[in-house]
Amino acid sequence: MPTHLESDVQASEDAFRTEVHHFLAAHFPDELRGTGNMLAGLDGPTNETPVQKKWREAVGERGWGTPTWPKEYGGGGLTKGQARLIEHEFAKVGAYNPIGGMGVMMFGPTLLEYGDEKQKLEHIPPICRGEIRWCQGYSEPNAGSDLANLQTFAVDKGDHYLVNGQKTWTSGGQWADKCFAIVRTDRSDKHKGISFMLIDMDAPGVEVRPITMISGTSPFCETFFTDVKVPKENLVGREGQGWTIGKRLLQHERTNISGGGRLAGMMGQSLADVAKKYCETGGDGALVNKVLRDKIADFEIRWNSFLLTARRAVEESKAQGGVSEISSVLKKVGTKLAQERSELLIEIRGLQGLGWEGDEFGDDELEDVRGWLFGKAATIYGGSTEVQNNIIAKRVLGMLDHQ
Amino acid sequence: MAVLSEEQEMLRDMARDWATKESPVSEFRKVRAAGQPQAYNSSAYAAMTEMGWAGIIIPEAHGGSDFGFMSAGLVVEELGKTLTASPLVATTIAASAILLGGSDEQKAKWLPRLASGETVATLAVDEGAHCDPSAIETSVAGGKLTGKKAFVHEAHGANLFVVAAKDGLYLVEKGDGVSLTTRKLTDQRSHADVSFAGAAAEKLEGGSDSLLDDVLDRARVLSAAEMLGMAQAVFDTTLDYLKQRVQFNQVLATFQALQHRMADLFADLAQMRSAVEAGLQAVDSGFGIARAATIAKAEANRVLHAISNQGIQLHGGIGMTDEFNVGFYLKRARVLEASWGSSSYLKDRFAQLSGY
């Protein structure tokens, strides 16, 4: 027998579910069913069709693409429970959330925490409507994992900063409208001399050059700043607070990379199914090559426990209302397993799994080759495996800094 | 740590409290020094049964609390942390066999006795050094069971055996036709080869066609829970040691090579915990048990193996001494790894279950 309060909650949940159903019936076009959201990723230029655009606008209007963000800035103003319900109901009918990208995953949550009122009102609503694409101005050619070792410099010119320097690995830089960047405003202190500012990608003096990767193509760019004027109002937080703000944003990035969604998606086809296509099987359906069979089983067992760990992290953080202690493990383990899987796919397919181009190779074969090569970046970007190990050792395990 | 109910948290805290205060590793040292074949302290087991731990998976109607495997696993994990010697796991596994395959009369007769501690029971399956449920010679004719079971856990304290014969599982009481040959293993717990020479046996007629595998899966997840506690204890002890041990005028914990090794082990331990908890939960939910149990024990084997080896290496010479506890965990670890399925056995089983 539910208590009075529980039945109220149940009633309002049912009402909200009905609202979501009505929304989907009114706005989600049948032809987009099951197509997924290619636009929210960093994988290509924005070339949405009119139908996709209409769907994005409908979701953006409601703030349901960013359901838990405050309403006054264009978010949905909903509870986490309602957000999950939306996600669930969308998924049930094959609908996708058309609002995404770095603005949603990394920059928005950071600006909500550290931005001033004017900045939030200016930048958050376009993110919620999926109108603005953001890129990340963090890495520099000589910094790498030593992120704070950055040289891009902003000189105070009264009402604006004058920015000079070079960023690299700017994911999606060629398609971005704006860039959230950490830049040096003081050379005397490695960490306290860093500020967090927002730079228009179409401002005079900004030049973007895509970088060709070992996989053939990539969303990565080099970005050059030559006497770029950045208005003072685009400074987030205080001058010198950039390292603190920047690190907070990286937490959002790690959560996102390890979120499991992308990785779980890769498991669409089991390695064993692929192996049965390419390798000999016996009468009992088992792979004849027992060494390969063992390797696949070994991988799949560990992969399963990774997925269970990702699920546990979500359940724990829901229950505790904070970040699970093991979230720092997910990036390190998930990216390593993804790389192992790519290598196993090659072993399973042999030379047929190493095609670069040509009709002799299937789409999935070619795609997996590019994925194998591009995937090498996963243990480097977003804080390399070595950096994650440092974080786990120092922050989680309390092992002291090495001097 | 899985999200627990209030009851489960209380149960775990109680177990942790008891194990820390009443059953630290020094208690295992006493058991070892006593050199009794039974290899556990009867009054300690009496305390456990009084707290209801032997009846966690047993229905209330039969004197248990019906809290399920996840709850049993929480207790076993805490006992694993301090290497508490007891027949709790063996008895719980035997209880699960009776629950799955027993008649109403068999349940009514045995389950209350198991819950109260009056009867200690254990599972006797393998006839050689490896887990091999497909190679069983033990047979029953006219209610009399004949065969030899190897390396039976907790055999000395047991007065009831759940024995795998060619045509199913049987209950055999200690008595006429049952004789034990002690097998002293590296963990210095109770192990014995058990000979059954026409011993009176009563079949477990119920359950599915795969009753033996179903019971073994429960043995796998419970052993994995014990191994989880052991792995956690070795990890914690090793981390503490690195934080206080000074070499070359530096605390060991400040060496990056050691930090990264501990980060790797921490990640492995997180994987192991997820797999073990999921295995226990699968048994409770009744869904996907074979696969989940196989993953749980395979991960427990892999991770405890690594952590027990690194526990010795990172302690240096002191880790090699009998005076220090970490070696006890290594020795128990290998015994549990080899029980109910080695890593290679479990990988093979996983592949079979997955159809390749």
Side-chain angles (χ1 to χ4, degrees), chain A residues 158-189:
Chain A
D159 66 333
H160 67 272
Y161 291 99
L162 206 59
V163 177
N164 278 283
Q166 181 192 347
K167 293 287 176 183
T168 190
W169 311 127
T170 322
S171 310
Q174 66 268 56
W175 313 302
D177 304 293
K178 290 172 188 292
C179 173
F180 52 90
I182 45 175
V183 301
R184 187 154 291 291
T185 43
D186 180 357
R187 289 202 170 89
S188 67
D189 188 299

PDB file of all heavy atoms in Angstrom, chain A residues 158-189:
ATOM      1  N   GLY A 158      43.248  46.705 -21.319  1.00  0.00           N
ATOM      2  CA  GLY A 158      42.177  47.572 -20.810  1.00  0.00           C
ATOM      3  C   GLY A 158      40.827  46.910 -20.949  1.00  0.00           C
ATOM      4  O   GLY A 158      40.415  46.141 -20.083  1.00  0.00           O
ATOM      5  N   ASP A 159      40.106  47.163 -22.058  1.00  0.00           N
ATOM      6  CA  ASP A 159      38.779  46.563 -22.210  1.00  0.00           C
ATOM      7  C   ASP A 159      38.834  45.198 -22.890  1.00  0.00           C
ATOM      8  O   ASP A 159      37.827  44.535 -23.036  1.00  0.00           O
ATOM      9  CB  ASP A 159      37.863  47.506 -23.013  1.00  0.00           C
ATOM     10  CG  ASP A 159      38.346  47.662 -24.452  1.00  0.00           C
ATOM     11  OD1 ASP A 159      39.570  47.506 -24.683  1.00  0.00           O
ATOM     12  OD2 ASP A 159      37.505  47.899 -25.330  1.00  0.00           O
ATOM     13  N   HIS A 160      40.029  44.805 -23.333  1.00  0.00           N
ATOM     14  CA  HIS A 160      40.124  43.484 -23.947  1.00  0.00           C
ATOM     15  C   HIS A 160      41.497  42.881 -23.693  1.00  0.00           C
ATOM     16  O   HIS A 160      42.409  43.564 -23.228  1.00  0.00           O
ATOM     17  CB  HIS A 160      39.841  43.560 -25.452  1.00  0.00           C
ATOM     18  CG  HIS A 160      40.904  44.309 -26.225  1.00  0.00           C
ATOM     19  ND1 HIS A 160      40.860  45.682 -26.408  1.00  0.00           N
ATOM     20  CD2 HIS A 160      42.028  43.877 -26.848  1.00  0.00           C
ATOM     21  CE1 HIS A 160      41.931  46.053 -27.113  1.00  0.00           C
ATOM     22  NE2 HIS A 160      42.655  44.984 -27.382  1.00  0.00           N
ATOM     23  N   TYR A 161      41.606  41.566 -24.017  1.00  0.00           N
ATOM     24  CA  TYR A 161      42.914  40.895 -24.012  1.00  0.00           C
ATOM     25  C   TYR A 161      43.356  40.733 -25.457  1.00  0.00           C
ATOM     26  O   TYR A 161      42.525  40.567 -26.362  1.00  0.00           O
ATOM     27  CB  TYR A 161      42.814  39.499 -23.385  1.00  0.00           C
ATOM     28  CG  TYR A 161      42.553  39.487 -21.898  1.00  0.00           C
ATOM     29  CD1 TYR A 161      41.269  39.295 -21.409  1.00  0.00           C
ATOM     30  CD2 TYR A 161      43.597  39.662 -20.985  1.00  0.00           C
ATOM     31  CE1 TYR A 161      41.018  39.276 -20.046  1.00  0.00           C
ATOM     32  CE2 TYR A 161      43.353  39.644 -19.617  1.00  0.00           C
ATOM     33  CZ  TYR A 161      42.061  39.448 -19.155  1.00  0.00           C
ATOM     34  OH  TYR A 161      41.821  39.419 -17.802  1.00  0.00           O
ATOM     35  N   LEU A 162      44.671  40.760 -25.657  1.00  0.00           N
ATOM     36  CA  LEU A 162      45.217  40.445 -26.966  1.00  0.00           C
ATOM     37  C   LEU A 162      45.907  39.077 -26.856  1.00  0.00           C
ATOM     38  O   LEU A 162      46.860  38.915 -26.090  1.00  0.00           O
ATOM     39  CB  LEU A 162      46.218  41.532 -27.383  1.00  0.00           C
ATOM     40  CG  LEU A 162      46.382  41.700 -28.899  1.00  0.00           C
ATOM     41  CD1 LEU A 162      45.049  42.062 -29.550  1.00  0.00           C
ATOM     42  CD2 LEU A 162      47.428  42.781 -29.195  1.00  0.00           C
ATOM     43  N   VAL A 163      45.388  38.108 -27.621  1.00  0.00           N
ATOM     44  CA  VAL A 163      45.844  36.727 -27.451  1.00  0.00           C
ATOM     45  C   VAL A 163      46.747  36.303 -28.608  1.00  0.00           C
ATOM     46  O   VAL A 163      46.405  36.504 -29.785  1.00  0.00           O
ATOM     47  CB  VAL A 163      44.634  35.764 -27.347  1.00  0.00           C
ATOM     48  CG1 VAL A 163      45.094  34.314 -27.239  1.00  0.00           C
ATOM     49  CG2 VAL A 163      43.771  36.140 -26.148  1.00  0.00           C
ATOM     50  N   ASN A 164      47.896  35.717 -28.255  1.00  0.00           N
ATOM     51  CA  ASN A 164      48.812  35.175 -29.249  1.00  0.00           C
ATOM     52  C   ASN A 164      49.273  33.788 -28.812  1.00  0.00           C
ATOM     53  O   ASN A 164      49.549  33.567 -27.629  1.00  0.00           O
ATOM     54  CB  ASN A 164      50.043  36.076 -29.394  1.00  0.00           C
ATOM     55  CG  ASN A 164      49.765  37.255 -30.307  1.00  0.00           C
ATOM     56  OD1 ASN A 164      49.736  37.142 -31.527  1.00  0.00           O
ATOM     57  ND2 ASN A 164      49.516  38.415 -29.684  1.00  0.00           N
ATOM     58  N   GLY A 165      49.366  32.866 -29.771  1.00  0.00           N
ATOM     59  CA  GLY A 165      49.855  31.537 -29.426  1.00  0.00           C
ATOM     60  C   GLY A 165      49.244  30.470 -30.311  1.00  0.00           C
ATOM     61  O   GLY A 165      48.583  30.774 -31.306  1.00  0.00           O
ATOM     62  N   GLN A 166      49.505  29.227 -29.929  1.00  0.00           N
ATOM     63  CA  GLN A 166      49.015  28.109 -30.739  1.00  0.00           C
ATOM     64  C   GLN A 166      48.432  27.014 -29.848  1.00  0.00           C
ATOM     65  O   GLN A 166      49.043  26.615 -28.854  1.00  0.00           O
ATOM     66  CB  GLN A 166      50.152  27.514 -31.570  1.00  0.00           C
ATOM     67  CG  GLN A 166      49.679  26.366 -32.454  1.00  0.00           C
ATOM     68  CD  GLN A 166      50.830  25.571 -33.066  1.00  0.00           C
ATOM     69  OE1 GLN A 166      51.971  26.009 -33.035  1.00  0.00           O
ATOM     70  NE2 GLN A 166      50.512  24.413 -33.607  1.00  0.00           N
ATOM     71  N   LYS A 167      47.256  26.547 -30.230  1.00  0.00           N
ATOM     72  CA  LYS A 167      46.651  25.383 -29.579  1.00  0.00           C
ATOM     73  C   LYS A 167      46.708  24.209 -30.548  1.00  0.00           C
ATOM     74  O   LYS A 167      46.813  24.406 -31.768  1.00  0.00           O
ATOM     75  CB  LYS A 167      45.189  25.677 -29.224  1.00  0.00           C
ATOM     76  CG  LYS A 167      45.017  26.740 -28.139  1.00  0.00           C
ATOM     77  CD  LYS A 167      45.409  26.200 -26.795  1.00  0.00           C
ATOM     78  CE  LYS A 167      45.333  27.255 -25.709  1.00  0.00           C
ATOM     79  NZ  LYS A 167      45.805  26.719 -24.406  1.00  0.00           N
ATOM     80  N   THR A 168      46.610  22.999 -30.022  1.00  0.00           N
ATOM     81  CA  THR A 168      46.589  21.846 -30.915  1.00  0.00           C
ATOM     82  C   THR A 168      45.565  20.824 -30.428  1.00  0.00           C
ATOM     83  O   THR A 168      45.034  20.970 -29.324  1.00  0.00           O
ATOM     84  CB  THR A 168      47.996  21.218 -31.040  1.00  0.00           C
ATOM     85  OG1 THR A 168      47.970  20.253 -32.088  1.00  0.00           O
ATOM     86  CG2 THR A 168      48.419  20.533 -29.747  1.00  0.00           C
ATOM     87  N   TRP A 169      45.314  19.823 -31.239  1.00  0.00           N
ATOM     88  CA  TRP A 169      44.289  18.808 -30.961  1.00  0.00           C
ATOM     89  C   TRP A 169      42.935  19.458 -30.672  1.00  0.00           C
ATOM     90  O   TRP A 169      42.203  19.008 -29.802  1.00  0.00           O
ATOM     91  CB  TRP A 169      44.683  17.905 -29.793  1.00  0.00           C
ATOM     92  CG  TRP A 169      46.069  17.365 -29.887  1.00  0.00           C
ATOM     93  CD1 TRP A 169      47.034  17.458 -28.927  1.00  0.00           C
ATOM     94  CD2 TRP A 169      46.651  16.660 -30.977  1.00  0.00           C
ATOM     95  NE1 TRP A 169      48.183  16.864 -29.360  1.00  0.00           N
ATOM     96  CE2 TRP A 169      47.979  16.352 -30.634  1.00  0.00           C
ATOM     97  CE3 TRP A 169      46.182  16.261 -32.237  1.00  0.00           C
ATOM     98  CZ2 TRP A 169      48.836  15.675 -31.481  1.00  0.00           C
ATOM     99  CZ3 TRP A 169      47.047  15.583 -33.077  1.00  0.00           C
ATOM    100  CH2 TRP A 169      48.356  15.295 -32.698  1.00  0.00           C
ATOM    101  N   THR A 170      42.643  20.542 -31.379  1.00  0.00           N
ATOM    102  CA  THR A 170      41.361  21.214 -31.185  1.00  0.00           C
ATOM    103  C   THR A 170      40.288  20.393 -31.892  1.00  0.00           C
ATOM    104  O   THR A 170      40.049  20.568 -33.082  1.00  0.00           O
ATOM    105  CB  THR A 170      41.404  22.633 -31.776  1.00  0.00           C
ATOM    106  OG1 THR A 170      42.697  23.200 -31.535  1.00  0.00           O
ATOM    107  CG2 THR A 170      40.343  23.499 -31.154  1.00  0.00           C
ATOM    108  N   SER A 171      39.659  19.490 -31.140  1.00  0.00           N
ATOM    109  CA  SER A 171      38.645  18.603 -31.741  1.00  0.00           C
ATOM    110  C   SER A 171      37.507  19.426 -32.314  1.00  0.00           C
ATOM    111  O   SER A 171      36.936  20.258 -31.617  1.00  0.00           O
ATOM    112  CB  SER A 171      38.091  17.647 -30.692  1.00  0.00           C
ATOM    113  OG  SER A 171      39.139  17.022 -30.006  1.00  0.00           O
ATOM    114  N   GLY A 172      37.173  19.167 -33.565  1.00  0.00           N
ATOM    115  CA  GLY A 172      36.055  19.865 -34.194  1.00  0.00           C
ATOM    116  C   GLY A 172      36.307  21.342 -34.412  1.00  0.00           C
ATOM    117  O   GLY A 172      35.368  22.098 -34.687  1.00  0.00           O
ATOM    118  N   GLY A 173      37.563  21.762 -34.332  1.00  0.00           N
ATOM    119  CA  GLY A 173      37.894  23.191 -34.468  1.00  0.00           C
ATOM    120  C   GLY A 173      37.409  23.788 -35.776  1.00  0.00           C
ATOM    121  O   GLY A 173      36.974  24.943 -35.823  1.00  0.00           O
ATOM    122  N   GLN A 174      37.451  22.953 -36.847  1.00  0.00           N
ATOM    123  CA  GLN A 174      37.063  23.498 -38.156  1.00  0.00           C
ATOM    124  C   GLN A 174      35.575  23.774 -38.278  1.00  0.00           C
ATOM    125  O   GLN A 174      35.150  24.463 -39.191  1.00  0.00           O
ATOM    126  CB  GLN A 174      37.556  22.576 -39.295  1.00  0.00           C
ATOM    127  CG  GLN A 174      36.926  21.197 -39.362  1.00  0.00           C
ATOM    128  CD  GLN A 174      37.725  20.145 -38.589  1.00  0.00           C
ATOM    129  OE1 GLN A 174      37.984  20.312 -37.396  1.00  0.00           O
ATOM    130  NE2 GLN A 174      38.099  19.064 -39.247  1.00  0.00           N
ATOM    131  N   TRP A 175      34.770  23.180 -37.369  1.00  0.00           N
ATOM    132  CA  TRP A 175      33.320  23.388 -37.439  1.00  0.00           C
ATOM    133  C   TRP A 175      32.803  24.225 -36.276  1.00  0.00           C
ATOM    134  O   TRP A 175      31.612  24.473 -36.159  1.00  0.00           O
ATOM    135  CB  TRP A 175      32.578  22.042 -37.417  1.00  0.00           C
ATOM    136  CG  TRP A 175      33.165  21.048 -38.364  1.00  0.00           C
ATOM    137  CD1 TRP A 175      33.316  21.219 -39.721  1.00  0.00           C
ATOM    138  CD2 TRP A 175      33.701  19.753 -38.059  1.00  0.00           C
ATOM    139  NE1 TRP A 175      33.913  20.115 -40.263  1.00  0.00           N
ATOM    140  CE2 TRP A 175      34.164  19.191 -39.278  1.00  0.00           C
ATOM    141  CE3 TRP A 175      33.832  19.018 -36.883  1.00  0.00           C
ATOM    142  CZ2 TRP A 175      34.748  17.925 -39.355  1.00  0.00           C
ATOM    143  CZ3 TRP A 175      34.412  17.757 -36.966  1.00  0.00           C
ATOM    144  CH2 TRP A 175      34.874  17.216 -38.177  1.00  0.00           C
ATOM    145  N   ALA A 176      33.686  24.631 -35.394  1.00  0.00           N
ATOM    146  CA  ALA A 176      33.218  25.271 -34.161  1.00  0.00           C
ATOM    147  C   ALA A 176      32.959  26.765 -34.346  1.00  0.00           C
ATOM    148  O   ALA A 176      33.593  27.424 -35.165  1.00  0.00           O
ATOM    149  CB  ALA A 176      34.240  25.046 -33.057  1.00  0.00           C
ATOM    150  N   ASP A 177      32.005  27.271 -33.578  1.00  0.00           N
ATOM    151  CA  ASP A 177      31.730  28.707 -33.561  1.00  0.00           C
ATOM    152  C   ASP A 177      32.552  29.409 -32.488  1.00  0.00           C
ATOM    153  O   ASP A 177      32.970  30.542 -32.654  1.00  0.00           O
ATOM    154  CB  ASP A 177      30.239  28.947 -33.251  1.00  0.00           C
ATOM    155  CG  ASP A 177      29.343  28.219 -34.230  1.00  0.00           C
ATOM    156  OD1 ASP A 177      29.349  28.595 -35.414  1.00  0.00           O
ATOM    157  OD2 ASP A 177      28.665  27.253 -33.806  1.00  0.00           O
ATOM    158  N   LYS A 178      32.733  28.718 -31.391  1.00  0.00           N
ATOM    159  CA  LYS A 178      33.426  29.339 -30.260  1.00  0.00           C
ATOM    160  C   LYS A 178      34.364  28.340 -29.595  1.00  0.00           C
ATOM    161  O   LYS A 178      34.207  27.134 -29.748  1.00  0.00           O
ATOM    162  CB  LYS A 178      32.411  29.848 -29.231  1.00  0.00           C
ATOM    163  CG  LYS A 178      31.611  31.060 -29.690  1.00  0.00           C
ATOM    164  CD  LYS A 178      30.504  31.385 -28.706  1.00  0.00           C
ATOM    165  CE  LYS A 178      29.574  32.467 -29.237  1.00  0.00           C
ATOM    166  NZ  LYS A 178      30.221  33.802 -29.331  1.00  0.00           N
ATOM    167  N   CYS A 179      35.305  28.909 -28.854  1.00  0.00           N
ATOM    168  CA  CYS A 179      36.320  28.076 -28.208  1.00  0.00           C
ATOM    169  C   CYS A 179      36.429  28.464 -26.731  1.00  0.00           C
ATOM    170  O   CYS A 179      36.515  29.660 -26.412  1.00  0.00           O
ATOM    171  CB  CYS A 179      37.659  28.319 -28.918  1.00  0.00           C
ATOM    172  SG  CYS A 179      39.070  27.511 -28.134  1.00  0.00           S
ATOM    173  N   PHE A 180      36.379  27.466 -25.846  1.00  0.00           N
ATOM    174  CA  PHE A 180      36.704  27.754 -24.437  1.00  0.00           C
ATOM    175  C   PHE A 180      38.158  27.373 -24.247  1.00  0.00           C
ATOM    176  O   PHE A 180      38.562  26.268 -24.568  1.00  0.00           O
ATOM    177  CB  PHE A 180      35.780  27.020 -23.467  1.00  0.00           C
ATOM    178  CG  PHE A 180      35.658  25.550 -23.698  1.00  0.00           C
ATOM    179  CD1 PHE A 180      36.523  24.656 -23.085  1.00  0.00           C
ATOM    180  CD2 PHE A 180      34.659  25.046 -24.524  1.00  0.00           C
ATOM    181  CE1 PHE A 180      36.410  23.281 -23.294  1.00  0.00           C
ATOM    182  CE2 PHE A 180      34.544  23.676 -24.742  1.00  0.00           C
ATOM    183  CZ  PHE A 180      35.422  22.797 -24.130  1.00  0.00           C
ATOM    184  N   ALA A 181      38.941  28.339 -23.773  1.00  0.00           N
ATOM    185  CA  ALA A 181      40.391  28.131 -23.781  1.00  0.00           C
ATOM    186  C   ALA A 181      41.006  28.494 -22.437  1.00  0.00           C
ATOM    187  O   ALA A 181      40.495  29.336 -21.699  1.00  0.00           O
ATOM    188  CB  ALA A 181      41.021  28.984 -24.881  1.00  0.00           C
ATOM    189  N   ILE A 182      42.093  27.792 -22.118  1.00  0.00           N
ATOM    190  CA  ILE A 182      42.915  28.266 -21.010  1.00  0.00           C
ATOM    191  C   ILE A 182      44.159  28.920 -21.601  1.00  0.00           C
ATOM    192  O   ILE A 182      44.794  28.373 -22.504  1.00  0.00           O
ATOM    193  CB  ILE A 182      43.289  27.126 -20.018  1.00  0.00           C
ATOM    194  CG1 ILE A 182      43.754  25.865 -20.754  1.00  0.00           C
ATOM    195  CG2 ILE A 182      42.128  26.783 -19.110  1.00  0.00           C
ATOM    196  CD1 ILE A 182      44.252  24.761 -19.816  1.00  0.00           C
ATOM    197  N   VAL A 183      44.447  30.124 -21.116  1.00  0.00           N
ATOM    198  CA  VAL A 183      45.585  30.892 -21.645  1.00  0.00           C
ATOM    199  C   VAL A 183      46.377  31.466 -20.479  1.00  0.00           C
ATOM    200  O   VAL A 183      45.870  31.589 -19.353  1.00  0.00           O
ATOM    201  CB  VAL A 183      45.110  32.049 -22.554  1.00  0.00           C
ATOM    202  CG1 VAL A 183      44.309  31.527 -23.726  1.00  0.00           C
ATOM    203  CG2 VAL A 183      44.299  33.063 -21.754  1.00  0.00           C
ATOM    204  N   ARG A 184      47.614  31.823 -20.765  1.00  0.00           N
ATOM    205  CA  ARG A 184      48.484  32.359 -19.719  1.00  0.00           C
ATOM    206  C   ARG A 184      48.289  33.867 -19.634  1.00  0.00           C
ATOM    207  O   ARG A 184      48.319  34.565 -20.653  1.00  0.00           O
ATOM    208  CB  ARG A 184      49.937  32.003 -20.064  1.00  0.00           C
ATOM    209  CG  ARG A 184      50.937  32.335 -18.998  1.00  0.00           C
ATOM    210  CD  ARG A 184      52.171  31.463 -19.074  1.00  0.00           C
ATOM    211  NE  ARG A 184      51.912  30.073 -18.723  1.00  0.00           N
ATOM    212  CZ  ARG A 184      51.608  29.662 -17.491  1.00  0.00           C
ATOM    213  NH1 ARG A 184      51.542  30.521 -16.484  1.00  0.00           N
ATOM    214  NH2 ARG A 184      51.355  28.387 -17.258  1.00  0.00           N
ATOM    215  N   THR A 185      48.027  34.360 -18.419  1.00  0.00           N
ATOM    216  CA  THR A 185      47.936  35.809 -18.230  1.00  0.00           C
ATOM    217  C   THR A 185      49.057  36.287 -17.309  1.00  0.00           C
ATOM    218  O   THR A 185      49.179  37.483 -17.039  1.00  0.00           O
ATOM    219  CB  THR A 185      46.564  36.211 -17.615  1.00  0.00           C
ATOM    220  OG1 THR A 185      46.235  35.281 -16.573  1.00  0.00           O
ATOM    221  CG2 THR A 185      45.478  36.178 -18.665  1.00  0.00           C
ATOM    222  N   ASP A 186      49.856  35.334 -16.816  1.00  0.00           N
ATOM    223  CA  ASP A 186      50.951  35.708 -15.916  1.00  0.00           C
ATOM    224  C   ASP A 186      52.031  34.637 -16.039  1.00  0.00           C
ATOM    225  O   ASP A 186      51.747  33.458 -15.870  1.00  0.00           O
ATOM    226  CB  ASP A 186      50.410  35.770 -14.468  1.00  0.00           C
ATOM    227  CG  ASP A 186      51.497  36.152 -13.465  1.00  0.00           C
ATOM    228  OD1 ASP A 186      52.677  36.311 -13.882  1.00  0.00           O
ATOM    229  OD2 ASP A 186      51.160  36.280 -12.269  1.00  0.00           O
ATOM    230  N   ARG A 187      53.242  35.071 -16.349  1.00  0.00           N
ATOM    231  CA  ARG A 187      54.298  34.071 -16.576  1.00  0.00           C
ATOM    232  C   ARG A 187      55.008  33.668 -15.289  1.00  0.00           C
ATOM    233  O   ARG A 187      55.804  32.744 -15.280  1.00  0.00           O
ATOM    234  CB  ARG A 187      55.336  34.607 -17.573  1.00  0.00           C
ATOM    235  CG  ARG A 187      54.795  34.684 -18.996  1.00  0.00           C
ATOM    236  CD  ARG A 187      55.923  34.691 -20.033  1.00  0.00           C
ATOM    237  NE  ARG A 187      55.392  34.533 -21.384  1.00  0.00           N
ATOM    238  CZ  ARG A 187      55.017  35.558 -22.159  1.00  0.00           C
ATOM    239  NH1 ARG A 187      55.132  36.809 -21.736  1.00  0.00           N
ATOM    240  NH2 ARG A 187      54.528  35.330 -23.373  1.00  0.00           N
ATOM    241  N   SER A 188      54.713  34.365 -14.199  1.00  0.00           N
ATOM    242  CA  SER A 188      55.491  34.134 -12.983  1.00  0.00           C
ATOM    243  C   SER A 188      55.009  32.923 -12.181  1.00  0.00           C
ATOM    244  O   SER A 188      55.720  32.425 -11.326  1.00  0.00           O
ATOM    245  CB  SER A 188      55.481  35.381 -12.090  1.00  0.00           C
ATOM    246  OG  SER A 188      54.175  35.602 -11.601  1.00  0.00           O
ATOM    247  N   ASP A 189      53.801  32.449 -12.450  1.00  0.00           N
ATOM    248  CA  ASP A 189      53.302  31.302 -11.681  1.00  0.00           C
ATOM    249  C   ASP A 189      52.637  30.302 -12.635  1.00  0.00           C
ATOM    250  O   ASP A 189      51.694  30.639 -13.344  1.00  0.00           O
ATOM    251  CB  ASP A 189      52.287  31.767 -10.620  1.00  0.00           C
ATOM    252  CG  ASP A 189      51.908  30.634  -9.679  1.00  0.00           C
ATOM    253  OD1 ASP A 189      51.342  29.600 -10.162  1.00  0.00           O
ATOM    254  OD2 ASP A 189      52.157  30.757  -8.473  1.00  0.00           O
TER     255      ASP A 189
END
